[in-house]
Amino acid sequence: MKVLHVITGLAAGGAESQLRLLLQHARHDADVVALYNAGSVADQLRADGVPVTDLGMRSNTEVGAVLRLARLVRRGRYDVVHTHLYRAGLYGRLAARLAGVPVVVATEHSLLDDQLEGRPATRPVRLLYLAAERLGRRTVAVSSAVRANLLGWGIAADRVVTVPNGLDLDAVAFDAGRRERARSALGLADGAQLVGAVGRLHAGKRFDELITALAPSLGRDRQLVVVGEGASRPELAALAERLGVATAVHLVGEQPVAEVLPAMDVLVSPSHYETFGLAVLEGLAAGLPVVYRRCPGLEELDAEVAGAARIGVGDALLPAVEDALARGAGDRTCPPALRALDIRSVAARIDDLYDELHDDPAGRGGRPGRRRTRTGPRVGQRSQPARREDR
């Protein structure tokens, strides 16, 4: 089976890196189209052997892009089109319908509390979203919280399936050698505590609040590292300078999070708005104590996960961090409950969804379709590539 993934952009971000991780473990052949901004994740996908096309959209109202995308879909003779993020959902599902693709799926990564991709979902946005949804067969919600929002918008329950984001448990497993290298690269003193955070540098992640809260305790013996890139970098750097802790705050940019997690002694997620909370789960999978405010992916697990400490939106961060550091990280093993989120099982569930829909083209037990499956890795694809930062 041949699958085309359509995503709004491929700069560093949670949905973008999750797509890359999914394709590393998918059993079907896949190509990727970015509507615009084919950034660092596009380069990573190409290094994995995944063909990536930048559609080159210049504005969000470029209607001609739909026709260009439909021609591309038609030439590729795809069995499945899978869209990711709002703009790609609009353009990708319409283009797939124009091209006559039998199976159209979308993943909803970022709808929560009537916010879509961190912005209020206005009435026009909702109407466009619902119109585009009718052009597809299924919407994949990354958490039950996201599913509940979709149903609240009026999408039929049988058109929504919940499949969580996946974790590359092998990549984030604790490694003592990586811990030593990462701490040396940061110039940490022996015995210094390292508080960590992971995410795109933008206001919604509340890293300014984290820096402000920790500032009184930061210095030679306790430092903060933030893995991620984004528009808020200058403001965060200026804040650290103003508070007199610039030498203890490391904004290390976009890099494989698995290389930095071992150096941390606690991971903190100060964000109030998370549709899944991948950084929280990766920190726990790396055996870290984690302080967080919201993580649907964790809260919807059937079992309790040791090391996770949830605090309220109005609760102070510093006391919770002090408590987590006092508890320590233990033996740094992955909690058993997180095995259910291993990327291999998550990718298999997505592939099974494609097969189910392709074998029922009419949506009511129609004639099985043709399958073209791939049993081995893509030529040139690394079996265990490094992960990158932002969730």
Side-chain angles (χ1 to χ4, degrees):
M1 189 178 294
K2 194 174 181 184
V3 181
L4 177 68
H5 291 267
V6 182
I7 191 165
T8 301
L10 282 169
E16 296 83 357
S17 60
Q18 186 64 201
L19 172 58
R20 182 191 176 205
L21 189 58
L22 180 70
L23 295 186
Q24 289 167 357
H25 298 276
R27 65 176 179 261
H28 297 305
D29 291 320
D31 299 339
V32 175
V33 168
L35 299 186
Y36 49 79
N37 195 17
S40 59
V41 182
D43 296 334
Q44 294 163 3
L45 284 165
R46 290 178 180 126
D48 293 343
V50 178
V52 177
T53 299
D54 184 351
L55 200 64
M57 282 180 59
R58 293 181 296 276
S59 78
N60 286 336
T61 57
E62 190 178 336
V63 178
V66 174
L67 300 179
R68 296 203 306 275
L69 182 55
R71 287 195 294 269
L72 186 152
V73 173
R74 211 174 280 118
R75 286 197 303 269
R77 299 172 63 87
Y78 295 101
D79 302 289
V80 178
V81 168
H82 188 158
T83 71
H84 307 261
L85 301 176
Y86 172 67
R87 191 65 54 181
L90 300 182
Y91 283 74
R93 284 186 280 207
L94 180 54
R97 175 61 67 91
L98 291 173
V101 176
V103 177
V104 183
V105 175
T107 291
E108 182 46 67
H109 297 268
S110 57
L111 173 62
L112 194 65
D113 300 341
D114 283 339
Q115 291 189 60
L116 187 61
E117 297 176 15
R119 301 180 182 89
T122 62
R123 179 174 171 78
V125 166
R126 281 195 186 196
L127 292 174
L128 282 172
Y129 190 104
L130 293 171
E133 189 275 335
R134 297 304 302 170
L135 300 175
R137 295 277 299 279
R138 292 289 187 281
T139 296
V140 176
V142 298
S143 67
S144 296
V146 171
R147 174 185 168 85
N149 275 259
L150 290 168
L151 300 188
W153 278 20
I155 298 176
D158 63 355
R159 294 176 61 83
V160 181
V161 58
T162 303
V163 181
N165 286 324
L167 299 175
D168 190 343
L169 297 177
D170 292 339
V172 300
F174 177 73
D175 181 277
R178 284 193 305 210
R179 177 176 173 84
E180 183 178 345
R181 291 191 297 272
R183 291 175 68 87
S184 176
L186 292 170
L188 295 178
D190 290 344
Q193 296 174 329
L194 185 64
V195 180
V198 177
R200 191 196 300 268
L201 304 187
H202 71 83
K205 293 296 185 181
R206 308 295 178 107
F207 293 139
D208 56 339
E209 187 178 340
L210 179 61
I211 293 172
T212 301
L214 294 184
S217 70
L218 295 179
R220 182 176 183 273
D221 295 327
R222 179 181 295 167
Q223 302 197 8
L224 170 66
V225 61
V226 183
V227 184
E229 195 53 84
S232 293
R233 170 185 278 274
E235 289 84 353
L236 295 175
L239 175 62
E241 186 72 36
R242 189 163 64 250
L243 295 174
V245 293
T247 58
V249 175
H250 306 274
L251 304 175
V252 297
E254 179 190 350
Q255 57 181 276
V257 69
E259 297 299 319
V260 187
L261 281 175
M264 301 176 188
D265 297 297
V266 61
L267 185 139
V268 184
S269 175
S271 173
H272 304 177
Y273 175 90
E274 293 289 343
T275 54
F276 187 73
L278 193 60
V280 169
L281 291 159
E282 287 183 328
L284 291 167
L288 284 168
V290 174
V291 175
Y292 74 100
R293 285 187 165 135
R294 195 162 193 181
C295 181
L298 174 61
E299 291 149 17
E300 293 167 14
L301 289 176
D302 292 334
E304 188 173 327
V305 177
R310 182 175 185 178
I311 63 173
V313 168
D315 292 342
L317 284 166
L318 183 55
V321 171
E322 298 276 12
D323 288 347
L325 288 169
R327 290 196 308 271
D331 60 5
R332 298 293 293 260
T333 57
C334 176
L338 297 185
R339 298 287 174 190
L341 299 177
D342 185 273
I343 185 58
R344 294 164 185 81
S345 62
V346 170
R349 289 175 65 180
I350 295 295
D351 283 326
D352 290 346
L353 177 64
Y354 298 157
D355 290 341
E356 174 192 338
L357 296 175
H358 194 265
D359 287 352
D360 188 9
R364 51 179 183 272
R367 179 175 59 85
R370 177 181 51 178
R371 294 186 189 177
R372 293 195 296 276
T373 60
R374 168 168 61 85
T375 57
R378 182 184 305 279
V379 175
Q381 180 173 318
R382 293 170 292 172
S383 59
Q384 292 292 334
R387 284 278 286 124
R388 51 133 291 300
E389 56 91 3
D390 187 85
R391 322 279 163 292

